[in-house]
Amino acid sequence: MSLVWKTTRTLAALLLLFFVVGPLLWLGVLAFAGDWRSPDLLPSTWTLQWWDTVFSDSRFLDSVVLSFTTAPLVTFISMAICLPAAYAFARFDFPGRQFFLIGIFATNAFPRFGLFIAMASLFYTLDLMNSFAGVIIVQLVGTIVFMTWIPAAAFAAIPRSVEEAARDAGAGALRVFFRITLPMAAPGIIVAVILSFLAAFDEAQGTFLVGNPDYVTMPTQMYQLIGHYPRQVSAVFSVLLSIPSVVLLLLVRKRVTGGAVAEGFQLR
Amino acid sequence: MRRRPVTGLLAIAPPVIVIALFVGLPMVSAMLYTLGDTGGLNSTIGSIAQHQHTPERGWLTLDAYREVFADESFRASLVATIVVTLVATVLVTILGWGIALYGRFHDGPLSRLLTGVSIVPMFIPAVIGAYSMLTFYAPNGMLRTIGLALGWDSAPTLSYTLTGVTLGSVWSNLPLTVLLISSGLGGVPQTLIDASRDAGAGPVRRFRKVILPLTTVPTIIAATFSAIGILGSFTLPYVLGPTARNILGPLMDDTYSAFNMPQQAQVMAVVVFGLALVASIAYVWANYRSARRSEVLR
């Protein structure tokens, strides 16, 4: 390998690391910064006072609790209603199959903001404004594409012969599904669950529109922090808000890069 | 695939109903509202909106579209949206290709690190990603600080600029692009590449004649998803973008929340939706092509 190629490669890799991880790193340092004068590479004093500010304010903790209530609940509801559909999309032929598969995607192409304005009218009519149920619905809508498409691809990838062999060996339909199909599709389903959880956890615009002022989740809180509090407070909150994501990332990194997501984005 | 019309339709009913009720219905009523309809679901919003256009004669009118398209700031934002979307989509596709190619042909700790790092933005909440880039590209941010330390005195401030929004869009769409293209490249049989090498094809020719044709579909899918995501994005341009001449997401918000003109905001949403549909044509075509090819292979 030539020296030029090695140098170029190292530089390109460093540039990519800087571009992708730099912003998060910088924010992480900011969360502990006391006095930090501009061209200095690091703060001259370090402090935990911004963490105190966040933890001593009950509004912040309330939003943490709410976020960790809605996101798991939404993910669970999404699994319950979408997984049977994903299986049907993968295994059954029925009228309108292609239409519904593309339809679920097409509705995703309408800008969220316009959708939420229009949704507000419907929510006023159904008395869902400023309600817990309204927040759940707004977050649920964004998870459906993940929870249908990715598991559908996972189910479709299981050779039918495996299921048929189990049937021939005398296992009933339900037994085959729970002992054979579900475990084999599990990696794809887990990725879908994680992406749905993140989508629900991350949803801020609709949650703000529907839940404000009584239901404030962590990301909606973050919107309100930016510009109204010292930068360090936003940085601390960002670090807190990233913890679940980073934990999930570490858990499923292999599966995600292994192709479960990529498979899910191709229509069959 | 077994024909199971009743079971199939019953199984897909729950998510389809949720989407139809909470996305489809509002979408349709939003479109009718932009054409001047203020009945039904639109009566609430119609009664509080200002500067609303309703038809003088007949049922529908295009007046709201005329007003929005006559507006200078809307046209500037529309152009900005299209340019940012195109530039960011091209950049993220090139970058994604680079990472995926390196990962495919140089398996090692470095390539695994790069692939791993490039999917990180997928797991970071949008508002955090946007805010972290705001501080990163700020006058006292990391780019300028490191730039100055390395002797680059004129390192730019990209916070509150469209260049910043473009780079931010590349950042947030990198994971899916890398995943899709890597998966496509993984599907190119090594035997085919070796065979063309044995037949005397150089690296450029191997890439053009063997690798590229087999990865066109995943590339188009990745680019479409990036483009649609950027067209409809709100958080990133809202946090990181300029106050005026930003892309359409924040302008919609201003038009609705600050000026109380939901009809005009919805016109913009419909325009963005139209652009997204244009972008999706390539996606549906690519899927159709790959479905046909896999049928041929079977």
Side-chain angles (χ1 to χ4, degrees):
Chain A
M1 222 187 281
S2 77
L3 191 67
V4 180
W5 158 243
K6 260 189 168 165
T7 321
T8 323
R9 194 186 61 174
T10 315
L11 274 178
L14 282 175
L15 217 60
L16 182 78
L17 282 175
F18 183 65
F19 174 70
V20 176
V21 190
L24 304 170
L25 213 63
W26 198 249
L27 207 56
V29 175
L30 196 57
F32 299 95
D35 195 29
W36 196 356
R37 298 265 158 86
S38 193
D40 293 352
L41 280 175
L42 288 171
S44 50
T45 56
W46 302 83
T47 175
L48 286 173
Q49 95 180 78
W50 312 110
W51 293 80
D52 254 6
T53 313
V54 169
F55 282 112
S56 59
D57 191 326
S58 68
R59 279 175 310 163
F60 295 127
L61 289 182
D62 287 348
S63 72
V64 174
V65 172
L66 183 64
S67 271
F68 280 98
T69 315
T70 56
L73 188 61
V74 165
T75 311
F76 184 75
I77 298 174
S78 188
M79 282 174 78
I81 66 172
C82 295
L83 288 181
Y87 186 78
F89 275 126
R91 281 293 194 243
F92 303 148
D93 189 21
F94 47 88
R97 181 178 165 274
Q98 286 283 345
F99 170 80
F100 288 122
L101 206 51
I102 293 180
I104 287 179
F105 160 73
T107 51
N108 225 36
F110 197 84
R112 282 288 131 118
F113 193 80
L115 191 65
F116 292 141
I117 302 175
M119 242 187 199
S121 292
L122 180 66
F123 276 30
Y124 274 120
T125 316
L126 297 176
D127 204 17
L128 286 169
M129 283 309 248
N130 198 13
S131 75
F132 185 73
V135 171
I136 296 288
I137 292 171
V138 157
Q139 297 186 353
L140 178 66
V141 161
T143 65
I144 286 183
V145 152
F146 296 125
M147 203 58 109
T148 341
W149 277 27
I150 297 173
F155 285 129
I158 301 169
R160 188 175 296 275
S161 53
V162 177
E163 288 173 310
E164 276 160 7
R167 291 292 284 276
D168 290 346
L174 278 181
R175 202 176 143 87
V176 171
F177 181 79
F178 283 106
R179 300 297 292 272
I180 309 284
T181 316
L182 204 57
M184 283 181 84
I189 295 175
I190 290 171
V191 169
V193 165
I194 305 266
L195 290 183
S196 298
F197 177 86
L198 290 175
F201 189 78
D202 193 12
E203 211 302 307
Q205 268 178 280
T207 308
F208 177 73
L209 208 64
V210 171
N212 205 46
D214 288 350
Y215 298 92
V216 179
T217 58
M218 288 176 83
T220 34
Q221 187 75 66
M222 181 69 193
Y223 267 96
Q224 293 167 14
L225 281 180
I226 297 177
H228 299 280
Y229 277 81
R231 292 186 310 152
Q232 288 94 328
V233 174
S234 304
V236 168
F237 209 64
S238 303
V239 173
L240 288 174
L241 192 42
S242 306
I243 290 172
S245 317
V246 171
V247 170
L248 292 175
L249 169 70
L250 294 175
L251 284 177
V252 292
R253 197 179 57 84
K254 283 240 166 62
R255 296 225 159 93
V256 167
T257 46
V261 175
E263 281 297 310
F265 281 85
Q266 318 223 2
L267 293 169
R268 290 290 133 95
Chain B
M1 202 173 284
R2 267 173 293 175
R3 264 205 80 73
R4 285 274 192 84
V6 179
T7 323
L9 286 173
L10 276 180
I12 65 156
V16 167
I17 290 171
V18 170
I19 291 279
L21 182 61
F22 293 109
V23 183
L25 184 66
M27 238 169 84
V28 172
S29 78
M31 287 187 211
L32 285 175
Y33 181 52
T34 61
L35 296 169
D37 173 69
T38 49
L41 270 184
N42 292 320
S43 52
T44 316
I45 206 161
S47 64
I48 48 174
Q50 286 176 306
H51 303 291
Q52 193 166 245
H53 298 273
T54 49
E56 284 168 28
R57 272 172 295 123
W59 181 41
L60 302 170
T61 172
L62 284 172
D63 284 352
Y65 285 84
R66 279 191 205 104
E67 186 203 328
V68 168
F69 274 92
D71 181 31
E72 188 67 39
S73 68
F74 168 77
R75 289 206 303 260
S77 284
L78 180 62
V79 172
T81 307
I82 295 173
V83 171
V84 166
T85 303
L86 286 176
V87 173
T89 305
V90 169
L91 284 179
V92 76
T93 308
I94 293 173
L95 188 59
W97 256 100
I99 296 167
L101 266 182
Y102 188 70
R104 171 71 174 79
F105 295 109
H106 299 268
D107 192 23
L110 181 65
S111 73
R112 277 196 292 272
L113 173 74
L114 292 187
T115 317
V117 162
S118 64
I119 64 160
V120 167
M122 189 175 214
F123 291 84
I124 303 296
V127 61
I128 304 302
Y131 185 69
S132 72
M133 279 181 281
L134 183 72
T135 57
F136 181 82
Y137 292 118
N140 58 356
M142 190 171 185
L143 178 65
R144 271 178 59 82
T145 306
I146 303 267
L148 284 173
L150 295 175
W152 183 21
D153 292 337
S154 58
T157 298
L158 298 174
S159 297
Y160 307 117
T161 66
L162 283 177
T163 313
V165 175
T166 310
L167 288 180
S169 305
V170 171
W171 189 88
S172 49
N173 287 287
L174 188 62
L176 195 60
T177 309
V178 169
L179 289 177
L180 285 170
I181 297 177
S182 298
S183 152
L185 275 176
V188 179
Q190 185 64 39
T191 47
L192 214 56
I193 299 169
D194 293 342
S196 65
R197 182 188 290 133
D198 295 344
V204 177
R205 209 179 146 77
R206 281 206 299 277
F207 180 75
R208 272 192 43 222
K209 295 286 178 185
V210 180
I211 298 172
L212 204 54
L214 286 172
T215 43
T216 311
V217 170
T219 308
I220 289 177
I221 295 176
T224 311
F225 268 88
S226 300
I228 291 176
I230 300 166
L231 282 172
S233 64
F234 170 77
T235 305
L236 185 80
Y238 174 79
V239 174
L240 186 58
T243 320
R245 291 234 163 183
N246 203 337
I247 70 174
L248 281 172
L251 185 66
M252 267 184 243
D253 176 47
D254 268 352
T255 311
Y256 174 69
S257 329
F259 307 136
N260 187 23
M261 305 201 300
Q263 195 180 31
Q264 286 78 352
Q266 289 294 33
V267 167
M268 295 173 195
V270 172
V271 171
V272 171
F273 182 56
L275 292 173
L277 285 187
V278 171
S280 326
I281 290 172
Y283 171 75
V284 173
W285 173 82
N287 271 303
Y288 174 72
R289 220 182 85 145
S290 78
R292 243 192 11 192
R293 178 177 291 149
S294 57
E295 260 162 44
V296 171
L297 285 178
R298 270 177 215 145

